[in-house]
DNA sequence: GCTTACCATTAACATTTGATAAAAAACGGT
DNA sequence: ACCGTTTTTTATCAAATGTTAATGGTAAGC
């Protein structure tokens, strides 16, 4: 499990065994069942997560009470809740297990202390933040310049098998359309 | 002018006079005329910009050859091109002066060196990055969960007078709609 | 195995948005 | 002030998407 975390980190920004040792000591392993909601930031708890097994998503509730999917997280990736730290408008960003999942967590405040002390860890964290920003900009471009059908095509390229693994409602809200519209596009794309 | 840069920085993350002194020495002041395109990253030049006077935008060209507005930059703000640094997919992010503008620039590589040496500057830069990510997530939420009309209403709240200062085409592409559609929504909202 | 809840699809209709074209208005340079 | 360009508005029609409702399927729990 710890080896998996190390691999996740190294695919993003390679760090030394020594630097990883600092992180390793602090890892806590958690599991959630399909459908469970969890959060990475509240008054008492601030955590960073590594996704080891299963699929999860971040989402928020819009004024109509619907879940809006913001991001999907596959195995061997990092759940990135950074924006919550300071934003007033993004008060309620949740996470949900879309399958049974296994996570490794680390206390966010301790991790930030590690960042200050260790330049490798700081570079790693900064790369995570930059990657996240890049993915947001890429998604922004897609939403602004592609039709819903084109966005679905891009989604399929990016997330390959995901469409067969999770309820489509999540994908529809991620694409910014209704699930009825998604169903129509799926039919349309079968030909 | 330098005082303005200091104020911009301090509204984001207050730094000491000493830390600002490090930045101040490296500032270069530039002006562009309305309609001019400029870029903050290429092989020979990597710059960070502070917007002192006027309005500018970042944009890219979609496959149809249209300009897609990504962000607007008002006076006393920071032009944030960070994603370009590493992304392959966001190869062509440009900036354009929407009015005559005055900027202060700083060489990005030198600035990164300052970040390493000075924790205040590092914290400032990190806050910029986080703010940028927050604004992307907020925009993402809006695009995914609001109608075009609602997005226009939110745009007006956020950018107050901007609608009267720049060609509406920019706003339409920012909102993800055509300028014809924007015109209809404007008429609709007059009642 | 049965039932219930959730999910995906389909249909019919309403609404929104896009595309194209044309006219009116605003703007810029001389 | 004039001319040419750009921008905004308007109209018409087509296409895409949303809304509501009904149907059938699938998975989970009992």
């Amino acid at each position: 499990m710890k080896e998996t975390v190390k691999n996740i980190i190294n695919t993003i920004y390679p760090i030394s065994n020594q630097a990883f040792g600092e992180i390793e000591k602090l890892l806590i392993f958690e599991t959630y069942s399909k459908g469970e909601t969890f959060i990475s930031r509240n008054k008492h708890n601030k955590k960073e997560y590594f996704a080891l097994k299963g699929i999860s998503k971040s989402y928020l509730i819009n004024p109509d009470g619907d879940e809006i999917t913001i991001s999907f997280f596959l195995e061997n990736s990092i759940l990135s809740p950074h924006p919550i730290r300071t934003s007033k408008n993004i008060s309620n960003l949740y996470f949900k297990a879309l399958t049974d999942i296994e996570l490794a967590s680390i206390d966010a405040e301790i991790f930030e202390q590690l960042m200050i002390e260790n330049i490798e860890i700081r570079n790693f964290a900064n790369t995570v933040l930059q990657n996240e920003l890049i993915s947001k900009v890429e998604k922004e471009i897609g939403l602004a310049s592609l039709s819903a059908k084109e966005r679905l095509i891009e989604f399929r390229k990016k997330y390959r098998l995901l469409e067969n693994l999770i309820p489509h409602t999540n994908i529809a809200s991620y694409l910014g359309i209704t699930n009825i519209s998604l169903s129509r596009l799926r039919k349309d794309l079968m030909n």
Side-chain angles (χ1 to χ4, degrees), chain A:
Chain A
M1 307 257 282
K2 289 180 177 177
E3 199 58 30
T4 307
V5 175
K6 190 177 176 185
N7 288 338
I8 294 172
I9 293 174
N10 280 332
T11 58
I12 295 169
Y13 186 93
I15 64 175
S16 65
N17 285 334
Q18 190 216 335
F20 178 69
E22 296 292 319
I23 294 173
E24 187 181 16
K25 288 184 287 188
L26 301 165
L27 292 177
I28 296 169
F29 294 91
E30 309 179 14
T31 62
Y32 292 97
S33 302
K34 181 177 177 176
E36 272 191 280
T37 290
F38 59 102
I39 196 162
S40 77
R41 311 264 170 199
N42 62 28
K43 280 175 204 159
H44 312 295
N45 250 326
K46 298 184 181 184
K47 297 177 184 177
E48 312 288 353
Y49 282 110
F50 299 88
L52 306 178
K53 288 283 172 193
I55 300 164
S56 50
K57 71 167 180 178
S58 60
Y59 70 99
L60 51 83
I61 309 288
N62 74 2
D64 292 344
D66 306 314
E67 287 184 11
I68 306 293
T69 301
I70 299 298
S71 300
F72 294 107
F73 301 101
L74 309 182
E75 292 184 5
N76 302 319
S77 64
I78 292 182
L79 274 56
S80 304
H82 301 282
I84 316 176
R85 212 169 289 171
T86 43
S87 176
K88 306 125 202 168
N89 294 349
I90 313 172
S91 49
N92 297 316
L93 186 64
Y94 304 102
F95 292 85
K96 181 178 270 189
L98 297 176
T99 66
D100 290 352
I101 59 173
E102 294 176 22
L103 304 173
S105 76
I106 185 169
D107 182 274
E109 293 189 3
I110 295 175
F111 185 75
E112 281 177 36
Q113 190 57 40
L114 284 185
M115 278 175 59
I116 292 168
E117 295 166 0
N118 187 309
I119 190 173
E120 290 183 79
I121 295 175
R122 183 162 71 242
N123 287 340
F124 160 70
N126 210 260
T127 305
V128 170
L129 197 61
Q130 288 210 15
N131 286 349
E132 202 178 343
L133 186 55
I134 288 166
S135 84
K136 294 298 176 203
V137 173
E138 287 175 350
K139 186 179 174 188
E140 179 182 25
I141 292 168
L143 284 170
S145 65
L146 301 177
S147 67
K149 190 193 291 185
E150 290 169 319
R151 294 205 296 278
L152 175 55
I153 292 169
E154 291 301 313
F155 171 85
R156 286 177 167 180
K157 283 184 197 163
K158 185 174 178 185
Y159 289 107
R160 303 279 165 199
L161 305 168
L162 195 53
E163 198 173 345
N164 302 320
L165 297 176
I166 62 171
H168 295 170
T169 310
N170 300 294
I171 298 170
S173 76
Y174 177 78
L175 296 173
I177 57 179
T178 62
N179 40 4
I180 291 100
S181 188
L182 174 58
S183 182
R184 277 191 291 239
L185 293 175
R186 281 165 49 79
K187 186 181 180 184
D188 188 49
L189 288 174
M190 286 183 69
N191 310 325

